[in-house]
Amino acid sequence: MLILDFMTHQELINFIKKEIATETGTAVESIDANASFHSLGLDSLSAVLILYNIEKEFGVELNPLNFWDYPTPSKFADFILKGHG
């Protein structure tokens, strides 16, 4: 079983927002879960680093293109939970 099997959508969003905050230097509280990754200041390198941290934390494999196919923290969390939950 994966830890994702026990996570709520909001818990995963909070983890993603924390990773975004770390990469961008933005306060977690100011990150809108429905804003695009691009508008949050992320680029391809940032995306790869965040994906790596998600993979490491939750034991899942993600394709870097998934980050742009599901371009908001909320949509990305949905994808991860549906694909791995």
Side-chain angles (χ1 to χ4, degrees), residues 2-20 28 31 33 37 50-51 53-60 62 67 70 72-85:
L2 298 174
I3 192 169
L4 288 173
D5 294 334
F6 302 101
M7 287 194 87
T8 67
H9 183 253
Q10 190 60 51
E11 289 170 332
L12 185 54
I13 287 174
N14 290 342
F15 181 86
I16 294 169
K17 287 172 61 173
K18 181 181 159 206
E19 292 297 316
I20 293 168
V28 173
I31 297 172
F37 291 126
I50 290 170
L51 287 175
N53 290 338
I54 292 170
E55 289 176 334
K56 188 170 89 174
E57 181 74 19
F58 301 111
V60 296
L62 299 168
F67 197 80
Y70 304 92
T72 70
S74 183
K75 288 179 182 177
F76 195 55
D78 284 340
F79 166 74
I80 293 169
L81 288 174
K82 288 178 183 170
H84 298 92

Side-chain angles (χ1 to χ4, degrees), residues 34-47:
N34 294 306
S36 72
F37 291 126
H38 180 74
S39 72
L40 294 170
L42 298 176
D43 59 17
S44 296
L45 180 58
S46 300

